[in-house]
Amino acid sequence: MILLRHGQSEFNLHFSATRRDPGIEDPHLTPAGQAQAEAAAAALAETTLTRMIVSPYTRTLQTAAPIIASRPLTIEIDPLIRERYAFSCDIGTSPDALGARFPDHDFAHLPDPWWPDGFEPEASVIERAAQFRAQMAARPDWRETIVVSHWAFILALTGRSLMNGTWIIYDPNSPAPAELVWHP
């Protein structure tokens, strides 16, 4: 399957410059992040994909949009693949507000809130990644699936740190990474 990290968000832009939390909840993509999303859609245009799994954060939904616009896909919104809750950007948006902002997607299955109540330990993200790995390994269509997710989740799943707007091909039958470095 393809694991795509969302494009640059407003949070990423400010945090990268200052290394301090700028206090932006559920940030949108920057113009650079939107360009990264468009570039990913173009680069993946010839890739056979039938399913997309997207984290419910605005930045992942915006990153997914150009790919969705380019082909028919079965779309799943799944909070299991969300970011590790550690900063203001990890405070999500209610399912009702997401539904109003992204009316083509179904958010009715999400609890409110669908993100954790506070800081999420590394072990929790690793556990979510293991659960997702097992779910995907059991699916016959994992090779035709694209997952639009976040830095910490992809790190926990693969052991690899991805830059905004980049992707890797991943086999969910691969073993869990032995060692993770949790600072970007």
Side-chain angles (χ1 to χ4, degrees), residues 63-86:
T63 299
I67 298 169
I68 294 168
S70 72
R71 66 181 80 207
L73 292 167
T74 300
I75 309 297
E76 297 175 20
I77 308 297
D78 191 348
L80 185 65
I81 64 168
R82 71 182 182 273
E83 181 58 282
R84 174 184 180 202
Y85 189 102

Side-chain angles (χ1 to χ4, degrees), residues 80-86 116 119-133 149-157 180 182:
L80 185 65
I81 64 168
R82 71 182 182 273
E83 181 58 282
R84 174 184 180 202
Y85 189 102
F119 182 79
E120 184 177 19
E122 296 164 4
S124 176
V125 183
I126 292 168
E127 183 178 309
R128 285 193 287 117
Q131 182 181 350
F132 183 73
R133 183 181 300 106
S149 189
H150 306 269
W151 178 83
F153 185 80
I154 294 171
L155 175 68
L157 188 63
L180 302 176
W182 285 99

Side-chain angles (χ1 to χ4, degrees), residues 34-55:
Q34 190 61 47
Q36 290 167 337
E38 295 286 345
L44 296 169
E46 301 302 317
T47 305
T48 301
L49 297 170
T50 58
R51 178 178 309 281
M52 177 183 278
I53 304 171
V54 186
S55 160

